[in-house]
Amino acid sequence: MQNNYTRIFNIKTHPNERNNGIKSHAFSIIGIILTIMLVILVFQGITEVTKSWITKIFLIPIILISLSVHEFAHAKIAVFLGDPTPRLMGRLSLNPLKHLDPVGTILLLIANFGWAKPVVVEPSNFRDPQRAMVSVALAGPISNMVLAFIGMLSLKILSFSQSFLIENNYIQILNLLPLTSEIINTFIVINLGLTMFNLLPIPPLDGSRLLSYFMPLKYRHQYNQFEQMAPLILLFFLMLGGLNTILTPMVRASYNFLASMFF
């Protein structure tokens, strides 16, 4: 029987999943994308159309990697705090194929929003379930913020390298810098978007677990009732684009904050 924490956090207990034997890794996907990009560059050069297409091609591995790191972080912290469930279900992996949800992936490709397969956690395995679940919930958004930080650091390194390339007349490499910067910027924005989106206090997002931790007990019953309809409300706002009004200023502010640390 599910306990209160399981119900509040919308977590279900399932039997252990067996490894399906898939040995693919995220690096193989990146290798394919890089090969396609190099072929395009060799035969067409970097035109505006080429830059646009390459950025769109890179969008797929960026999303896959960002979502995989997010779910891996959930699984890693859960296992670290004493719950073996994510490891037994094969979720302690950076392989995107371990984390993809079929419906969420299809929507991601055709509608620009989607989701990964949630990491299953059994709160009763933790010494302090409420506190542990907050840590597990925050691990995902924090991991995306770390990726955004790494992306901004990469932009700083590119800006340093530009003067060196000019001095040594590396024109071909210089021509790649605008494209590289655009790809890295896309990487930063997506990870900041995932951070801010998942921190929204709407079930089943990670922010709802944080809210439930600080919520007085007398409001838990009303919150549980809201939890049943919250995913539909969230989906409704996503389809209408209403969340863009909230998320865009948050992403812009967090981007400017990160940029102020390096530039």
Side-chain angles (χ1 to χ4, degrees), residues 15-16 19 23 27 44 81 83 95 113 138 144 155 175 189 201 208 225 227:
N16 297 341
N19 195 327
K23 302 297 183 181
F27 296 107
Q44 291 189 9
L81 293 176
D83 179 25
N95 182 356
F113 73 88
L138 288 177
N144 290 123
L155 284 183
N175 291 336
V189 170
S208 65
Q225 291 180 329
E227 183 183 10

Side-chain angles (χ1 to χ4, degrees), residues 46 165-178:
I46 305 178
L165 294 173
I166 293 175
E167 290 175 3
N168 292 273
N169 201 31
Y170 291 125
I171 304 301
Q172 296 298 328
I173 300 179
L174 271 172
N175 291 336
L176 287 173
L177 288 186

Side-chain angles (χ1 to χ4, degrees), residues 117-220:
K117 185 166 56 177
V119 172
V120 176
V121 177
E122 178 48 61
S124 62
N125 289 327
F126 299 127
R127 180 178 301 177
D128 185 341
Q130 274 194 316
R131 185 175 298 178
M133 287 307 300
V134 170
S135 300
V136 172
L138 288 177
I142 289 175
S143 70
N144 290 123
M145 182 60 76
V146 170
L147 290 180
F149 181 90
I150 294 173
M152 194 64 72
L153 177 61
S154 301
L155 284 183
K156 183 64 175 180
I157 293 174
L158 278 183
S159 67
F160 274 133
S161 64
Q162 186 172 3
S163 58
F164 171 79
L165 294 173
I166 293 175
E167 290 175 3
N168 292 273
N169 201 31
Y170 291 125
I171 304 301
Q172 296 298 328
I173 300 179
L174 271 172
N175 291 336
L176 287 173
L177 288 186
L179 173 62
T180 305
S181 297
E182 188 167 337
I183 292 172
I184 294 175
N185 263 306
T186 301
F187 179 82
I188 295 171
V189 170
I190 285 177
N191 277 282
L192 289 177
L194 284 172
T195 300
M196 300 306 160
F197 175 69
N198 281 284
L199 285 176
L200 293 176
I202 306 173
L205 300 178
D206 299 322
S208 65
R209 303 179 185 181
L210 184 63
L211 176 63
S212 67
Y213 179 73
F214 292 102
M215 183 177 294
L217 289 175
K218 61 181 180 180
Y219 297 122
R220 288 280 174 85

Side-chain angles (χ1 to χ4, degrees), residues 29-30 32-38 41 51-65 179 182-184 186-187 190:
I29 299 175
I30 296 175
I32 294 173
I33 300 302
L34 286 174
T35 302
I36 294 174
M37 185 193 74
L38 289 175
L41 289 178
K51 183 195 291 187
S52 175
W53 273 104
I54 292 176
T55 303
K56 290 179 180 178
I57 290 173
F58 263 89
L59 187 62
I60 298 174
I62 286 174
I63 292 174
L64 291 178
I65 291 171
L179 173 62
E182 188 167 337
I183 292 172
I184 294 175
T186 301
F187 179 82
I190 285 177

